[in-house]
Every structure is written in C-alpha cells, then in structure tokens.
Amino acid sequence: MKIVKNAAAGTMESSDILVTVQPAEQGITIDLTSSIEEQFGRQIRQVIRETLGCLGVENVLVTAVDKGALDCTIRARVETAVYRAAGADWPEVDWGTLS
Amino acid sequence: MLFIPGNNPGMLRDCHIYGADCIMLDLEDSVSIYEKDSARFLVYHALRTLDYGDVEILVRINSLQDGGVADLEAIVPLGKAIIRLPKTETPEDVLACEREIARIDAAHGLEVGSTGMMAAIESAEGVLNALAIARSSSRLIGLALGAEDYVTDLKTTRSVDGTELFFGRSMILHAARAAGIAAIDCVYSNVNDEDGLVQQTKLIHTMGFDGKSIINPRQIEPVHRVFTPTQKDIDQAVAIICALEEARAKGSGVISLNGKMVDRPIVLRAVYQLELARAAGVWSDPDLVIPQL
C-alpha cells in the first residue's frame, strides 16, 4: 500500500498508542515516544515494522506516542492509520493478510 | 452481559477479569462514527490475540447498511464471537444478516451455521414482531431488549420502576420462550444508583429473563446477587430432586415432599435452580444426579 497523505489513529489514553503516518521518499522511519521505551522500545518498533510489512508499506514516516499499548493494539492502530492514509483509493481490508 | 466500547484498548484488555458471564464488544452506538474503522481493527486483533477464557463473547455490529457487512467480514472468520444485530425490526433483518454470515462462513471454509446470532429489539415494530424474529433463524441464541431506542420510539423516557418497558419486556420474554432461546434485559444506565439497578433486576428476574445487560463492572455483583439462588432455594431444589429419585426407586408415579404433591413443573424449576446454582459456583454435589427432563 502507498501512503498518499497524512493520517492518524489511536489516542493518548492509557493502554493505547497514537500512530501518525506520513508519506516518505525512501524507506521506513519510526519516531517513537514511550514511557516504557527502555524496556519495550525495540519490541514496539518491531511490531510496527512487521505490521507495515504485512500491509506492503515500503516508504513511510511513522510517529508513535505509546501509552503502554499491547502488541495487538499497536497492530490495530498502525493498520487503521495506514488504511486512512491510502487516500481516495482506500482499499477493501483483506483480513486474511493482516499481521 | 457487560458492554465494552470497541475502541477502548484498556477495556478490551481487562473486561474479562471482573466476573461477567458474557461480554459484548461494541462496534455500534458506543463508537464514534469517525472511529468505526479503528474499532473494527481493534476488536479484530483483541479477539485474535487475547484469551478471554470461558467468558462468552458477543460482538455488536453496525446495521448492514452502515458498516455491518465490513464488521462481519472482520469478525465472523475468527469463529470466536456471537454476532449481535442492532435494531432488529423484522425477521428479514435477521435473515439478511444470516445470509451475509453464511456467505463469509463458506468463503472461509467454516461450517455453515457455526456462528450464533442474537437479535436486539429496540423499537415498537421490533417488539410487535418479536415472535417472528425469534423464530426466524436457527442461529439465534437469544433476544435482547435495547431500551433507550425503544422508549424514544414510544415517545417516552426511562422511569425508575420501568413501567414504560413492561409490554416490550413481556413480548420479548414470551417470544424467546416460545422459540426456546434466551431473553436478555436492557442496561440500567445510572451506574451510581445500585438500589435502582437491584430493583430493576429483581423485576426482570421475577418476570423470567435469563440475564441483564450492564455497562460497568460495578454492576456485575448486584446482578449476580439477584440471579444466584439462595441457600434456601438450593436446599429446597435438592430435596425435590431427592424426592423424585426416591419415588422412582419405589416405582411410584406420585412424588411428595413434606406432605405436598410435587408435579413436573416444580421438578423443572428445581432442576433450573440447581443448574443456575452450579453455574454461579455456589453449589456442587457430584453424588446428586440432576435428571434430564
């Protein structure tokens, strides 16, 4: 999928993560803020990368503000943001291919 | 049945730990129209990932015209939730949803018919069609009353004693019983009014409902308190079952207990009380065989 515009999903509430995606020229960049970054920062980034991989996103700037979200919440918020960023050609969700 | 907003990750994570018998993950009224997609992804991943144990899970979808088909596409293939239809007014509403579920079942190689459904009735038309709705599909496991929309449709408001709901509740209960499925009452919205909740729960328990919808974990204990058989109820039920076994052993067709005749409806009620007590975890006796009647 191609990111054609800025989009966001999630909230700043506890147990959630606010994910913003923006179009980028080359590759995946993840800017993460989390109070548990020391312990789980690597894993959160890994989950974001895996989710983007399943969606076929190759070029994107992801800004994520984590408030202690579970992996399943991170996946859901990344997917929502990516689908919203797909623009007018919002594709139908293929549930079988999600992470 | 504890209602959980589908777009709240914290509640989705913790909802099963409070002791509710059943949880309804909501994609409909508790989710903003701008967050329907977000809630659908979140509930999908929660069901795929989290272990809700023995708690029965329902997902309330949007109407088929407003995103309900997309909800079904996400949830049905997981095979983990009963689908609750909102605002059911006619048998055709149930059948239309059933067709979509059957299509998705078949597309994913699921056994057709394996996904259960519950119909929420929330209007005067739905109440008047309750029996036809209840009998419309073998997938239906129950009917539920959605009171806020119902009283609005009646051009009235909710009262403390529930006078305005009496006809709707009675119709839904009778329809469910005639069809052999469950009847679940509406929510009591004022979470700070435990006395009102208990009063309403006692009323619907007396009427014959199988359970009550709730919107806060604080409401679980008061509802369980009303529905759980008392020790006196349990002792009486055990005595009736023992009297039945004694009469059978003697080859007698007449059962009596303390000089009073015990007939079939009384035995049926005793069986129901013991099953309820066992499910509530307040009674267990491996030596007493509850008869299948």
Side-chain angles (χ1 to χ4, degrees):
Chain A
M1 286 173 71
K2 189 170 168 56
I3 305 297
V4 300
K5 63 175 184 177
N6 294 2
T11 69
M12 298 279 277
E13 289 178 23
S14 176
S15 306
D16 207 344
I17 182 169
L18 179 60
V19 174
T20 307
V21 296
Q22 296 172 251
E25 291 296 316
Q26 197 167 23
I28 294 171
T29 306
I30 299 172
D31 177 9
L32 172 68
T33 306
S34 173
S35 56
I36 52 171
E37 187 160 0
E38 283 288 311
Q39 299 98 317
F40 296 107
R42 213 170 83 174
Q43 187 180 337
I44 295 168
R45 285 186 175 83
Q46 178 66 20
V47 172
I48 293 172
R49 278 186 188 279
E50 280 176 11
T51 308
L52 293 169
C54 289
L55 295 170
V57 177
E58 294 174 349
N59 301 307
V60 63
L61 167 61
V62 178
T63 307
V65 182
D66 172 59
K67 296 292 178 181
L70 296 177
D71 287 3
C72 60
T73 302
I74 298 169
R75 289 193 180 96
R77 296 315 196 193
V78 171
E79 287 162 358
T80 307
V82 167
Y83 270 90
R84 287 176 175 178
D89 296 327
W90 186 316
E92 200 170 306
V93 180
D94 183 354
W95 296 96
T97 64
L98 297 182
S99 53
Chain B
M1 182 184 296
L2 176 60
F3 285 24
I4 298 294
N7 201 32
N8 188 313
M11 289 187 189
L12 287 173
R13 183 193 62 199
D14 297 337
C15 59
H16 62 298
I17 66 176
Y18 300 105
D21 301 302
C22 174
I23 287 168
M24 190 200 76
L25 309 179
D26 187 25
L27 298 175
E28 200 218 8
D29 281 352
S30 70
V31 177
S32 150
I33 194 160
Y34 304 108
E35 296 295 338
K36 296 292 186 187
D37 55 341
S38 189
R40 192 178 299 128
F41 279 112
L42 202 53
V43 168
Y44 167 81
H45 279 289
L47 286 175
R48 260 186 63 166
T49 311
L50 303 178
D51 180 1
Y52 288 115
D54 294 334
V55 180
E56 192 167 41
I57 303 290
L58 288 90
V59 173
R60 178 164 71 172
I61 62 167
N62 293 281
S63 73
L64 295 185
Q65 296 75 31
D66 289 323
V69 175
D71 295 339
L72 292 172
E73 295 275 5
I75 303 303
V76 169
L78 298 172
K80 292 186 174 179
I82 293 162
I83 301 298
R84 175 162 158 153
L85 289 70
K87 300 177 179 60
T88 315
E89 299 204 310
T90 66
E92 179 52 35
D93 292 341
V94 178
L95 296 173
C97 187
E98 184 180 48
R99 283 194 291 273
E100 291 295 331
I101 294 174
R103 176 183 61 76
I104 296 165
D105 278 348
H108 289 82
L110 298 172
E111 183 190 340
V112 173
S114 56
T115 303
M117 296 164 67
M118 173 174 278
I121 291 177
E122 309 178 46
S123 67
E125 185 178 3
V127 164
L128 292 171
N129 286 329
L131 181 58
I133 290 169
R135 288 177 168 164
S136 61
S137 168
S138 58
R139 288 180 188 257
L140 275 178
I141 58 124
L143 296 183
L145 171 63
E148 296 300 334
D149 285 293
Y150 176 55
V151 297
T152 303
D153 196 33
L154 292 183
K155 299 193 184 304
T156 182
T157 54
R158 300 282 299 267
S159 68
V160 175
D161 65 3
T163 305
E164 72 288 351
L165 297 177
F166 190 74
F167 179 75
R169 280 172 165 162
S170 299
M171 286 287 284
I172 286 169
L173 179 68
H174 281 77
R177 290 292 171 260
I181 59 177
I184 306 296
D185 189 47
C186 57
V187 300
Y188 188 77
S189 307
N190 186 351
V191 293
N192 293 320
D193 179 13
E194 186 177 318
D195 290 343
L197 171 66
V198 169
Q199 182 187 330
Q200 284 288 297
T201 307
K202 283 181 176 172
L203 172 67
I204 61 103
H205 178 242
T206 304
M207 288 178 78
F209 275 87
D210 296 294
K212 185 156 183 64
S213 304
I214 53 173
I215 53 169
N216 190 295
R218 283 160 56 195
Q219 296 182 316
I220 296 171
E221 192 277 330
V223 171
H224 275 171
R225 206 187 319 143
V226 173
F227 271 89
T228 303
T230 63
Q231 191 56 51
K232 189 178 166 189
D233 295 333
I234 295 168
D235 292 343
Q236 176 72 6
V238 168
I240 289 167
I241 301 303
C242 289
L244 173 72
E245 291 306 315
E246 200 175 313
R248 280 182 175 171
K250 287 180 184 169
S252 169
V254 180
I255 311 164
S256 75
L257 179 65
N258 300 328
K260 292 179 185 168
M261 192 180 83
V262 176
D263 53 10
R264 185 177 153 80
I266 293 173
V267 175
L268 286 173
R269 286 205 294 272
V271 167
Y272 180 67
Q273 286 290 322
L274 291 181
E275 285 174 345
L276 205 55
R278 187 156 58 189
V282 296
W283 175 81
S284 168
D285 182 352
D287 296 330
L288 186 71
V289 178
I290 300 179
Q292 301 295 312
L293 298 171

